[in-house]
Amino acid sequence: MPEHVNFRTVIFAGKQSTIPGSPNILSNPIEYLKGVGPQRADLLKKELGIFTFGDLLELFPYRHVDKTKVNLIRDINAQTEFIQVAGILLNVEVTGDKRSRRLTAQLKDKSGFLELAWFQGITWVQKMLQAGQPYLVYGKVGFFQNRPQIIHPELEIVTQEKQDGKNYLEPVYPTTEKLKVRGLGGRQIGKLTQVLMGMLREKDIPENLPAAIVSQLKFADHFTAIRQIHFPPSPAAYDESVKRLKFEELFMAQLRMNLLRSNRHRFSKGVVFDKVGDYFNTFYRDHLPFQLTAAQKRVVKEIRADTATGKQMNRLLQGDVGSGKTIVALLIMLIAIDNGYQACLMAPTEILAKQHFASLSELLEKQLVSVSLLTGSTRSAPRKKILKELLAGDLKILIGTHAVIEEVVKFKNLGIVIIDEQHRFGVAQRARLWEKAEIPPHVLVMTATPIPRTLAMTAYGDLDYSVIDELPPGRQPVTTVHRYETQRSQVMIFLKAEIDKGRQAYIIFPLIEESDTLDYENLMRGYETVKGYFPEPNYWISMVHGRQPGDQKELNMKRFVERDTQILVSTTVIEVGVNIPNATVMVIESAEKFGLSQLHQLRGRVGRGADKSYCILLSGSKLGNDARERIRIMTTTSNGFEIAEKDLELRGPGDIEGTRQSGILNFKLASIVNDKPLLEIARKMVAGILEKDPDLDSAENLQLKKFLKEQKGNVVWSKIS
Ligand code: ADP
Ligand code: MG
């Protein structure tokens, strides 16, 4: 039987309950369950977040033990992981001094002896153990002085009844040491669940899915599925039940998101951009510095169509690094201005906001469009001026950081907000944009952190979706190689050759935590080393990191942009967006410490000009499997979407930036990575249902509607962007 359930997801899964919360037996406080009582109830709440009968029912077992399968102690070998053995318990004794007290016992079966040991709850365990009695013991095998041993085993006295049970699959639940000490080990929790299950009737766990789907997919009904995930009559029945419950999670999540989208399409009010005027046309005809790619043209069309409908646009624009999202943003902003509205472009960092400001100002130079920059470090006089012009409507385009969503920033008539590299902004921050205009502005979220399509459809199912899937012509792929730190001097020789050709190079150091002193020490040491290879006055080096004061950071950056320095030594503050086409080499120090999408982002900083570019991943000699795999992927593909899929496989969806706060991916059972086929089926069925019955008013969908209503607790329905 596969172990579908991941321990952490079960415990911290949040509120993705599949059982509606209307008052019924399942909302009874857990202390009223037979066998619980106030003290255990307290612990269940604190340790596992179980407050009600329903919470207990939704604590799913992470495995089942086939009680009919008992191994011999002799069969334990170095490969054995978990094992179940039966024997007589002997020699229960406490050893060691005060600081390293342990309780040990021997289990004897007809083939040999196995040591059992406890380090916690010794007094209590010792009281419970009955030497001389037959025990069934289960646990993880470890080796101590070459002898097998189980630390903190689960164990119970063998009774006749249990020995007779045929094909008896006993559930094992996630638990904690504190609960174990109170007699609520992984198996004992099942006793409570059994009591609870015995009290429940079918009406307590109603069907949520439409009958047609249940029969079409040959699913067990909801009640049966819940019973069987705890107490399956067979491994096959367990698998079937898990599948059904996973499907339900995926189905409901997508239904909820798609409803948000379809309601927005049908009922929201949005500003209307129905004409293309002089600003756009003049720019397009006279000042566009290059031909748009077909993908850029398509996306501009999609957005134009969307903003002309009178409904609010909420759109995610994905495009790999360097695919040219900025110019798309500018074109859309010009359309907004043509229609008499103001536009706002938000960037996640000050450096990036400044860069956008500089490049857009340059592009708009001849057109007299007013553009200003507002960041945390804008001084008070210019700030006042900006705020005044915004309110009067004289300022057409505002570019900035978080500073633009502060309350004091008020627009005359804001028509669109474009958010660059969205994952640095929380959902709540985005929601504040709504307060800036009577009719909510259109929102375009741009991201270069590729999100696999499957994930995007689920996590951002409420957004419309555009993608620039083409790079501007003439880009040469970046050659990526892996080198060990021992080869550093060769790498530096290569760097020198590139710099002597007039190119520039980045050298990036990891910065895991802003506060991590060790990382800073490495950075400083690295800087000194680089200086050793590239001495002044023939070479000049800039350094940029998060602990520098803003103006120093800016000065160093500026020197690099203006080619006063040939090398930029930096932490990942430059990760997103920076555009310096003359830089052709990206050296990533301690590359094994970076995640895949971060590496991809960093690599995207080079290969932006006409010259051949290189990315060199430097690592230590000891590499874990995941790090080795990440480096292998980086050196074999440059496709951002492929990399995103791999990233998802290696890290799981919980770690993908930007999805964490969405809460949408907190599934108890389902996994976006492993259950793609189910996700696809669910997606199609959701689309089919909403097409026929967008308000879920028909009889067969009423239960769905009720379910969503009861569940909506933690979803902000009106203001999610
Ligand atoms: P990103 O999508 O990563 O934000 P940018 O908008 O910064 O990419 O564009 C990357 C570079 O490509 C910029 O130098 C930009 O001027 C250039 N660029 C964008 N679109 C095109 C195009 N259609 N043809 C040629 N160069 C382009
Ligand atoms: Mg960009």
Side-chain angles (χ1 to χ4, degrees), residues 65-66 104 120 134 213 255 285 292 396-397 509 512 532 570 585:
V65 183
D66 185 345
T104 56
Q120 278 163 13
I213 289 184
L255 181 61
R285 199 183 51 228
L292 292 187
K396 298 298 180 196
I397 296 180
F509 285 80
I512 312 303
S570 164
V585 189

Side-chain angles (χ1 to χ4, degrees), residues 290-293 296 320-326 472 475 579 608:
F290 36 66
Q291 273 254 307
L292 292 187
T293 62
Q296 286 170 319
D320 211 340
V321 271
S323 62
K325 293 183 290 296
T326 316
R475 294 276 168 81
N579 189 28
R608 302 189 144 235

Side-chain angles (χ1 to χ4, degrees), residues 322 325-326 352 356 420-421 446 448 576-578 605 608:
K325 293 183 290 296
T326 316
L352 196 51
H356 276 323
D420 197 15
E421 308 298 350
M446 306 200 296
V576 277
V578 185
R605 296 308 112 212
R608 302 189 144 235

Side-chain angles (χ1 to χ4, degrees), residues 79-95:
Q79 272 72 51
T80 312
E81 273 202 273
F82 288 88
I83 197 163
Q84 176 160 267
V85 289
I88 306 291
L89 195 71
L90 300 171
N91 306 333
V92 179
E93 61 180 1
V94 175
T95 57

Side-chain angles (χ1 to χ4, degrees), residues 127-139:
K127 253 189 242 157
M128 297 296 292
L129 293 180
Q130 299 178 36
Q133 290 293 319
Y135 273 88
L136 194 61
V137 173
Y138 174 83

Side-chain angles (χ1 to χ4, degrees), residues 184 464 643:
L184 289 178
D464 292 295
I643 287 172

